[in-house]
Amino acid sequence: MTLLSPIIAAPEPAPVRRPVLEIKNLSVDYGYDDSAVHALTDVSLTLHAGEVLGLAGESGCGKSTLAYAATRLLPPPGVITGGEVIFTSSRDGHGGDLFTMSDAELRAQRWRDTAIVFQGSMNSLNPVYTIGKQLMDGILAHSPRGQRETARRRALELLDMVGISKDRLSSYPHQLSGGMRQRVMIAMALALEPEVVIMDEPTTALDVVMQRQIVEQIMALKNDLGFSVIFITHDVSLLLELADRIAIMYAGGIVEDASAREVYRMPRHPYTAGLLHSFPALHGPRRDLDGIPGSPPDLMNLPTGCTFHPRCPHAFAACSTTEPALGPTAFGSEEPSRSVACLLHDPTVAPGPVPLALGVRPAETIVAAES
């Protein structure tokens, strides 16, 4: 009998990616009458188990609104006008639509299934309580029969987990540095070992050295504990290093959704290409910083057609009248996992093939996405 060589053995099937959080057609308004601002319009995203999904875009595009709406933490006058947010546990299969849960069900779900690291740790921590009390209160709130000493031991474990000395348990927020406060917020989010952690710009206002430490800490904890992450930031260069997939937002909608490698090497939406050319290359040949001309649109007075067309270097006549839908690219089966909302990829109206100048990069500059 002849044994098959390992070289020609049949490849193992790709692992099935299980959705853990599905955001479907989420719409959010600010205001209650005809003058309401449409902050999100039919936004759909899927987070898979063990995945890091990056959410990027300029300030005001709806990133934080998406995070707060998806967790039902949106403050007034924000109103969720449509959509679903389906959580499905990868551990035992429990879950459901967060928008139809009762207050009791939602309270039980928060921090155990989904948690959020808020933007601005100094504003999120109570200045008159110690770090230890705030960690313990969060633990005891979800363990009504829990012992205070058990919660204290868990709080000490959490501080050690995020690299903070245990003697800081009795410190107040103002006695910690910005990086330490952000680590406390991460520890608080992980207290009950959730499956999904939404991080709303957790490195904002930190210096680059501390940003690097926080990001490395997040990735180490993610690998150790196995949770999934939605990482929100305006810094696309940061997402290229840590995210598995990146969704680009503009004017309250998703304009591109693809793997981090695809986004870096071959952006298919002009807005994505503009974001990528707004920061310098750390490796390879020097390139000019082009940026994106103009400013994000007023959400109360959005342009007709494609909302990006007034700033787009590739805009043509149909862009001002036809609103593009998020769908496959012009490259079809070559990019099955990518979606883009751009008329350049619609053969019925596009003036020609997608221009290479949209962002195909020289091989020598492809470092961050492949490392």
Side-chain angles (χ1 to χ4, degrees):
M1 186 172 90
T2 304
L3 295 177
L4 289 175
S5 165
I7 298 177
I8 61 173
E12 295 184 3
V16 177
R17 299 196 306 164
R18 300 183 305 278
V20 64
L21 191 70
E22 297 174 89
I23 300 173
K24 300 180 179 180
N25 302 316
L26 178 59
S27 296
V28 171
D29 288 355
Y30 283 104
Y32 307 99
D33 52 24
D34 293 339
S35 62
V37 175
H38 303 303
L40 294 179
T41 305
D42 292 332
V43 174
S44 296
L45 280 176
T46 299
L47 176 69
H48 298 91
E51 182 180 53
V52 178
L53 170 61
L55 194 60
E58 294 170 293
S59 296
C61 67
K63 304 185 298 297
S64 295
T65 295
L66 176 63
Y68 297 141
T71 51
R72 279 180 61 179
L73 291 171
L74 189 69
V79 180
I80 298 170
T81 58
E84 301 173 291
V85 177
I86 309 296
F87 171 80
T88 306
S89 172
S90 60
R91 297 169 184 166
D92 59 16
H94 78 273
D97 185 356
L98 272 63
F99 291 171
T100 61
M101 289 183 179
S102 66
D103 290 345
E105 291 171 329
L106 190 63
R107 181 179 177 82
Q109 193 271 347
R110 282 178 178 159
W111 305 112
R112 289 192 177 279
D113 294 333
T114 60
I116 185 168
V117 177
F118 296 100
Q119 183 180 160
S121 56
M122 194 62 191
N123 297 328
S124 301
L125 294 170
N126 193 318
V128 301
Y129 292 126
T130 64
I131 296 304
K133 176 173 176 53
Q134 295 184 63
L135 284 169
M136 292 166 61
D137 284 353
I139 296 168
L140 291 170
H142 290 269
S143 304
R145 298 181 182 178
Q147 299 295 319
R148 201 158 184 83
E149 185 55 36
T150 302
R152 185 177 185 278
R153 286 197 299 269
R154 176 58 177 162
L156 289 170
E157 290 175 4
L158 290 166
L159 288 186
D160 184 61
M161 185 188 301
V162 295
I164 296 179
S165 174
K166 294 181 179 181
D167 59 13
R168 288 291 190 172
L169 196 67
S170 58
S171 297
Y172 289 88
H174 72 272
Q175 295 175 314
L176 305 180
S177 68
M180 293 174 73
R181 287 194 297 267
Q182 200 61 58
R183 289 170 188 262
V184 169
M185 292 299 299
I186 294 170
M188 197 173 290
L190 299 179
L192 301 178
E193 299 184 357
E195 295 187 56
V196 174
V197 179
I198 300 174
M199 299 192 172
D200 185 17
E201 303 201 38
T203 60
T204 296
L206 300 179
D207 62 77
V208 291
V209 175
M210 186 54 63
Q211 284 186 24
R212 168 62 61 182
Q213 292 179 7
I214 295 293
V215 168
E216 289 178 349
Q217 189 80 59
I218 291 169
M219 296 308 293
L221 291 170
K222 180 255 180 188
N223 292 333
D224 290 343
L225 302 178
F227 54 85
S228 307
V229 180
I230 296 179
F231 196 103
I232 299 171
T233 181
H234 62 274
D235 187 352
V236 182
S237 62
L238 179 63
L239 292 182
L240 291 172
E241 297 190 46
L242 64 91
D244 299 303
R245 208 169 84 254
I246 297 175
I248 304 294
M249 288 194 72
Y250 186 77
I254 303 293
V255 297
E256 186 160 4
D257 185 349
S259 71
R261 177 187 172 90
E262 289 173 327
V263 166
Y264 184 72
R265 294 189 64 175
M266 298 168 289
R268 296 305 190 195
H269 194 285
Y271 180 62
T272 307
L275 292 177
L276 291 173
H277 284 81
S278 297
F279 61 88
L282 298 181
H283 304 274
R286 178 182 176 276
R287 58 182 169 83
D288 294 331
L289 298 183
D290 300 327
I292 304 173
S295 302
D298 179 357
L299 294 180
M300 293 189 68
N301 188 27
L302 289 173
T304 58
C306 173
T307 54
F308 185 62
H309 87 263
R311 307 172 68 191
C312 181
H314 301 284
F316 54 98
C319 296
S320 62
T321 57
T322 304
E323 182 179 354
L326 188 67
T329 70
F331 302 91
S333 59
E334 298 177 26
E335 299 178 331
S337 63
R338 184 198 289 257
S339 304
V340 64
C342 180
L343 295 180
L344 288 172
H345 297 271
D346 184 345
T348 63
V349 296
V354 179
L356 293 178
L358 201 56
V360 178
R361 297 187 171 209
E364 62 266 28
T365 69
I366 303 169
V367 176
E370 295 186 351
S371 60

